[in-house]
Amino acid sequence: MEKIKGLVAAPFTPMTTDGAINLNIIPSYYQFLKQNGVAGAFINGSTGEGVSQTMQERKQVTEAWANEIKQDASPMKLINLVGGTSYQECIELAKHSQSVGVDAIAILAPFYFKPPSVKELAEFVKMIGQAVPELPVYFYHIPVLTGVGFAMIDLMKELHGQMPNFAGIKYTHEDFMDYLSCLHFADGQYDMLWGRDENMLSALVLGAEGSVGSTFNYAAPLYHQLMAAYEKGEIKEARLLQQQSIDMIRLLGKYGGIGTGKAFMRYVGIECGGFRLPVKAMAEEAYQQFVQDVKALEMEALFSKGE
């Protein structure tokens, strides 16, 4: 299976003022990402509020993004998160994803009744993957949200040779030892997509070639420059660019976490509305102060812009 290289944005799901999904924004959103050199989209994930949507809404969002892919002569890759606590719902979403033409799906660890060992986690993943045997399947490793923190090298050992369509892992964790072991496993056969924007440089040193991140939505030029500096051996410059990424990401914590990402999108010209509860949406007064803080970063040229 072809590995994905470059930046994969994790798009926000646009919402109206009353909290309904706003599919009308997705065509311009897709073109916005394409203009900024993004290689793919990881939809319905943490950033996309997939777990806060109904089954029907997730299908509608998937169809809207897939429709843009179908109309594009040189489309981005499209990965859809189908996981979940119910393997039956995951299978339904996986089959739907296949029917509308996504490139791959991703599966999340069950986060309420958690698997007691990596063997049960592997069985859960295989059960879903077997329902769509021709569709590449990624595992989405984000223990800070799922509470499931098994070493991914152990999961790979369980799936290797048992699940032909297992493609790799979206790795959103700071265990560099485990990540490097996964990169080397089976002669580097699997795609290891890095998932922590704030320490991408460290992952590049280990050998990461593809990354999935929310800040790629609005700051893709920053990360393109970071990767280019690293590839040219300009390590000091790469470090400075990573620090700018960190300074930008600190604003998410200052203004309430993941929901701040939609404020960044508003800042660069893509209106995505607010987040659903329990994530707190940013008030207008706070947004005005946020804009001043963004300008104070003095990195305007590193934010994504539309044509």
Side-chain angles (χ1 to χ4, degrees), residues 36-51:
N36 287 287
V38 173
F42 187 97
I43 61 172
N44 289 320
S46 306
T47 304
E49 302 177 80
V51 296

Side-chain angles (χ1 to χ4, degrees), residues 60-127:
Q60 290 173 339
V61 169
T62 304
E63 290 166 8
W65 282 94
N67 187 55
E68 297 308 309
I69 296 291
K70 291 174 183 176
Q71 297 181 61
D72 192 346
S74 56
M76 299 189 301
K77 295 291 185 181
L78 185 62
I79 306 173
N80 184 32
L81 179 67
V82 303
T85 54
S86 164
Y87 72 82
Q88 292 173 320
E89 288 191 352
C90 293
I91 288 172
E92 182 176 340
L93 288 170
K95 289 181 176 179
H96 175 263
S97 299
Q98 182 173 254
S99 72
V100 299
V102 306
D103 294 290
I105 61 168
I107 298 170
L108 197 66
F111 47 84
Y112 187 83
F113 293 123
K114 298 178 178 62
S117 77
V118 74
K119 290 185 180 297
E120 283 76 18
L121 178 58
E123 288 300 317
F124 184 87
V125 173
K126 285 191 290 186
M127 191 174 296

Side-chain angles (χ1 to χ4, degrees), residues 113-166:
F113 293 123
K114 298 178 178 62
S117 77
V118 74
K119 290 185 180 297
E120 283 76 18
L121 178 58
E123 288 300 317
F124 184 87
V125 173
K126 285 191 290 186
M127 191 174 296
I128 300 163
Q130 288 167 356
V132 284
E134 296 181 359
L135 194 62
V137 175
Y138 287 84
F139 180 73
Y140 179 14
H141 182 50
I142 184 166
V144 68
L145 291 181
T146 64
V148 178
F150 303 122
M152 288 295 97
I153 186 62
D154 294 332
L155 178 64
M156 296 183 89
K157 289 176 179 177
E158 289 290 334
L159 295 176
H160 182 61
Q162 302 296 316
M163 184 177 167
N165 57 333
F166 175 55

Side-chain angles (χ1 to χ4, degrees), residues 197 199-206 226 230 235 238-239 242:
D197 310 5
N199 48 30
M200 176 195 277
L201 180 57
S202 299
L204 291 175
V205 171
L206 295 183
L226 190 160
Y230 173 74
I235 302 303
R239 289 172 182 160
Q242 184 70 87

Side-chain angles (χ1 to χ4, degrees), residues 167-185:
I169 296 173
K170 177 185 182 291
Y171 199 99
T172 308
H173 190 39
E174 294 79 14
D175 190 339
F176 290 104
M177 180 177 71
D178 183 42
Y179 180 73
L180 183 60
S181 296
C182 292
L183 276 174
H184 287 157
F185 180 69

